[in-house]
Amino acid sequence: MHDEFAQLLIEGLPETASSLTDFEIRSDDDEVTLLHKIYRRKLQLFLANSEEYHANRILKVLPQDYSYELGLVVSRLGKHKEVLKIYLHSLHDMHLAELYCESLFTSM
């Protein structure tokens, strides 16, 4: 059921806004952008918090340009070096990479 929910969120994402990287909702967002931000945020929260989805199944349906979500799923597979590559090279977010390392350190 968790896999299906994630897939529904992914399928609900409008393709026209796939390059969006800022998920802060603004009053001047058009309908497509607003819908995209809502679905992406819900997907991110779900992937970060659910322990019941199958990461390999989600990787098959997740668009490769959704780097943040890709990092969450790859993390679930325990591929920590690959997650850091995504955060540093795809997202160019050193802070996110540091937070990820801190979370790994505290969970050990």
Side-chain angles (χ1 to χ4, degrees):
M1 202 138 136
H2 287 249
D3 293 350
E4 290 178 29
F5 181 68
Q7 189 165 350
L8 286 172
L9 287 172
I10 293 166
E11 289 173 359
L13 290 165
E15 292 181 30
T16 56
S18 66
S19 63
L20 188 67
T21 57
D22 176 21
F23 305 112
E24 175 122 5
I25 294 174
R26 297 180 181 14
S27 60
D28 61 338
D29 286 340
D30 61 41
E31 187 176 328
V32 172
T33 303
L34 181 62
L35 183 64
H36 183 83
K37 288 179 178 182
I38 291 170
Y39 269 77
R40 289 280 298 265
R41 288 173 71 181
K42 286 186 179 292
L43 180 61
Q44 291 167 1
L45 284 170
F46 177 77
L47 294 175
N49 296 313
S50 172
E51 296 182 9
E52 302 298 323
Y53 68 87
H54 297 90
N56 286 320
R57 290 182 189 168
I58 302 306
L59 282 177
K60 290 178 184 176
V61 296
L62 186 64
Q64 293 300 305
D65 57 338
Y66 288 26
S67 298
Y68 184 79
E69 293 84 350
L70 186 61
L72 292 170
V73 177
V74 172
S75 171
R76 188 63 49 119
L77 293 170
K79 298 180 178 181
H80 307 300
K81 286 183 182 180
E82 192 171 331
V83 174
L84 291 173
K85 285 180 185 177
I86 291 168
Y87 290 166
L88 293 172
H89 299 291
S90 297
L91 295 174
H92 308 286
D93 193 335
M94 179 66 128
H95 181 67
L96 187 58
E98 288 175 3
L99 289 175
Y100 184 72
C101 289
E102 285 177 21
S103 71
L104 287 176
F105 182 74
T106 58
S107 69
M108 293 181 171

